[in-house]
Amino acid sequence: MNEPTRLPVGSKTQGPFPSEGVFRRADTAWFTEARFGLFIHWGLYSIPAGVWNGVPSGRNWYAEWIQMQGNWPHGIPAQEYRALRERFDPVRFDADAWMAAAAEAGMRYLIVTTKHHDGFALWPSRVSRFNVVDATPFRRDVVGELAAACRKRGLRVGFYYSHWQDWEHPGGARPYEENPAEPFLLHPQPSQQDFEAYWQQKCLPQVAELIDGYAPDLFWFDNWRPDPLLTAGRLDQLIGLVHARAPQCLINSRIGTTWNHPQGDAGVDYLSTLDNVFPEEAIPRPWETSGTMQRSWGCHALDFGWKPTGQLLRHLVDNASRGGNFQLNIGPRGDGSLPPPVIRRLREIGAWMTVNGEAVQGTRPVRLTAPSWGRLTMRDLPDGRIWYYLHVYDWHGGQALPALRVPGGAARCQVLETGQEVQVQRLGQDLIVTLPEEQADDRITVLRLEVQP
Ligand code: JFZ
């Protein structure tokens, strides 16, 4: 195996880094058009998969937190956790297979955990030897292989980077007591000086490495609450670094500006909700929900809470109908294989997207109250016509849907998958659609309503 490409020492990955508050907007059109992306949580934590010495990790199902939640409530001694690096040899890792499964599911971009809270890098970082090439027998550039597999298929490349929590560097943030009733491991938070050392010695240089080495299309930074360590100055510096080196690379609101910066989320390109949070209203900005396929983000051997495909499809359609994206997470196993429930769900979603994808991707919200029977999306055609898509969740064959206030001229309606003509009657500003007896899909059947201007 050839040595992975490494950036020359002293290249642009060294400081000083720009610190101006460069709040420029990148072009987010590709992101909103895509609507659907794959999130991958994979790393050393995928080896124990939520179980340590035969005991399930405590506090919650998040297997990627096992360093802090294994051996609950004491956590796993850092060196004992980091010894996992000697066992990281995922012989079944196949970036092409992973990204082929994503593309076939209708996903248009990837977000992969390049470095999660444990501080372990999935690329040959020159900044920290705690990485997949220098510290494991696997010695392959996982980030590079995934980025290449994406680009081969026209998929965009996104990087999750844990800029705040870093349990390897002495100055990285640690989880701290949030609820005195919860016996969560108490860690001394780093001082501002120690965190600054982490910020300058590891965080910024690694983000620079990722940009210079792989030219990502977006970053997914992970902060979820106010913290005095994430000062406005540091956030400006990180945003400034990304904008200076990759002006079109999108940045999410969970970088922390929303609650740690006087300008709020003004400096970011898309809004990230909290995990598995699906807004009930349309949001007039690019936004996304990242959600799990089971309970855990990382592979968890005892997490049998697999969400049914129908629920995952509704998350996708719900968000698209409100102008948002859905980033569906998978947690590959420690050996690099995909769990069968993941494979099946991606294939089933892909089957639905094959015939209904146009009703999701490239659409925009309809300014109507979400109907009780399902969701609405729409697209504008170059010739002035408008296509509305009726995503029917609750099918009552033969029954008329409540009137849709859709101005315009003559209308035609079909079942998108089958082409079956559907009865539609115009009464002034309103259209009355009557569902056929035949339900094309028992999860979500999509009707396409074509309205002349
Ligand atoms: C964070 C990470 O800790 C987790 O491991 C995963 O990467 C996820 C995508 O992001 O998890 C969170 C963050 C915020 C909340 C819950 C889990 N929150 O505030 O409810």
Side-chain angles (χ1 to χ4, degrees):
M1 171 63 68
N2 298 329
E3 271 296 305
T5 312
R6 287 178 183 270
L7 292 162
V9 177
S11 70
K12 291 189 295 180
T13 62
Q14 307 307 314
F17 296 100
S19 59
E20 67 279 5
V22 185
F23 290 144
R24 234 185 3 252
R25 267 208 197 297
D27 175 12
T28 56
W30 72 264
F31 180 77
T32 48
E33 196 279 336
R35 288 285 181 247
F36 192 29
L38 178 68
F39 214 134
I40 295 180
H41 276 69
W42 197 50
L44 297 183
Y45 44 79
S46 308
I47 297 172
V51 181
W52 193 263
N53 294 336
V55 179
S57 183
R59 185 169 178 258
N60 62 31
W61 285 93
Y62 285 9
E64 67 282 2
W65 273 69
I66 196 164
Q67 180 179 344
M68 293 296 171
Q69 299 179 174
N71 187 31
W72 181 252
H74 308 290
I76 299 165
Q79 292 316 321
E80 191 177 334
Y81 175 82
R82 289 181 202 140
L84 286 169
R85 65 183 184 271
E86 293 148 16
R87 294 168 52 195
F88 191 79
D89 192 16
V91 293
R92 296 180 67 187
F93 170 66
D94 181 342
D96 267 320
W98 287 11
M99 298 326 300
E104 287 153 21
M107 294 162 158
R108 296 278 179 85
Y109 59 97
L110 164 69
I111 298 176
V112 61
T113 50
T114 60
K115 185 206 80 168
H116 203 264
H117 305 336
D118 62 3
F120 179 70
L122 285 180
W123 77 97
S125 172
R126 301 196 71 85
V127 176
S128 161
R129 294 187 63 80
F130 189 48
N131 71 67
V132 66
V133 167
D134 293 314
T136 79
F138 191 56
R139 297 189 58 73
R140 279 165 55 181
D141 178 1
V142 169
V143 169
E145 292 185 34
L146 284 170
C150 283
R151 295 197 165 112
K152 197 163 115 177
R153 293 169 175 80
L155 301 179
R156 296 277 185 149
V157 174
F159 291 158
Y160 169 110
Y161 184 85
S162 182
H163 66 307
W164 171 46
Q165 296 288 315
D166 185 299
W167 306 335
E168 183 266 338
H169 191 286
R174 263 65 177 177
Y176 59 80
E177 193 69 18
E178 295 166 330
N179 169 3
E182 179 184 276
F184 194 24
L185 214 54
L186 264 176
H187 289 279
Q189 286 307 301
S191 66
Q192 286 289 346
Q193 184 182 355
D194 291 344
F195 188 78
E196 180 64 11
Y198 155 71
W199 196 253
Q200 297 299 335
Q201 293 167 9
K202 185 170 183 181
C203 178
L204 296 179
Q206 283 198 324
V207 169
E209 272 190 326
L210 287 168
I211 294 171
D212 298 345
Y214 309 100
D217 298 291
L218 72 80
F219 271 104
W220 204 96
F221 293 110
D222 192 5
N223 166 249
W224 55 84
R225 64 160 177 261
D227 188 305
L229 295 172
L230 286 180
T231 62
R234 290 190 180 120
L235 292 170
D236 287 351
Q237 202 174 31
L238 180 53
I239 290 173
L241 167 63
V242 175
H243 281 171
R245 293 182 188 229
Q248 286 308 312
C249 183
L250 307 184
I251 296 172
N252 72 324
S253 59
R254 271 177 57 176
I255 190 172
T257 52
T258 305
W259 36 68
N260 288 307
H261 196 289
Q263 284 189 278
D265 58 33
V268 303
D269 302 295
Y270 65 99
L271 303 181
S272 294
T273 69
L274 292 179
D275 304 17
N276 289 297
V277 169
F278 297 89
E280 297 288 321
E281 301 295 329
I283 299 173
R285 282 191 60 191
W287 65 276
E288 54 86 12
T289 298
S290 294
T292 51
M293 200 180 269
Q294 45 186 154
R295 299 181 186 98
S296 177
W297 296 91
C299 179
H300 195 306
L302 301 179
D303 177 358
F304 302 106
W306 295 97
K307 297 166 187 172
T309 299
Q311 179 184 341
L312 301 172
L313 283 172
R314 287 197 181 192
H315 286 329
L316 174 63
V317 170
D318 284 352
N319 277 19
S321 72
R322 293 165 179 140
N325 291 22
F326 180 42
Q327 293 161 182
L328 177 56
N329 179 80
I330 65 172
R333 293 176 173 142
D335 67 357
S337 62
L338 298 182
V342 166
I343 296 170
R344 176 169 71 88
R345 281 159 180 76
L346 291 180
R347 285 181 181 166
E348 289 179 339
I349 292 167
W352 188 88
M353 286 292 278
T354 300
V355 293
N356 295 298
E358 73 168 75
V360 173
Q361 286 161 329
T363 65
R364 61 186 175 94
V366 178
R367 296 190 186 290
L368 289 173
T369 306
S372 59
W373 45 262
R375 297 290 181 265
L376 293 165
T377 56
M378 65 185 289
R379 70 172 55 243
D380 307 284
L381 278 77
D383 61 6
R385 288 179 298 154
I386 294 177
W387 285 353
Y388 296 89
Y389 298 97
L390 285 60
H391 303 258
V392 184
Y393 292 178
D394 304 320
W395 189 270
H396 299 285
Q399 288 191 16
L401 296 177
L404 287 171
R405 176 58 48 99
V406 176
R412 181 188 177 199
C413 190
Q414 292 175 286
V415 177
L416 185 56
E417 179 180 351
T418 64
Q420 182 181 12
E421 291 295 330
V422 175
Q423 183 186 326
V424 55
Q425 184 185 8
R426 177 171 284 288
L427 296 176
Q429 295 279 311
D430 292 341
L431 289 176
I432 310 293
V433 173
T434 301
L435 297 180
E437 290 299 340
E438 300 83 355
Q439 181 184 10
D441 187 296
D442 59 0
R443 298 182 179 113
I444 304 174
T445 296
V446 181
L447 309 183
R448 183 169 72 197
L449 178 62
E450 304 175 13
V451 180
Q452 297 298 330

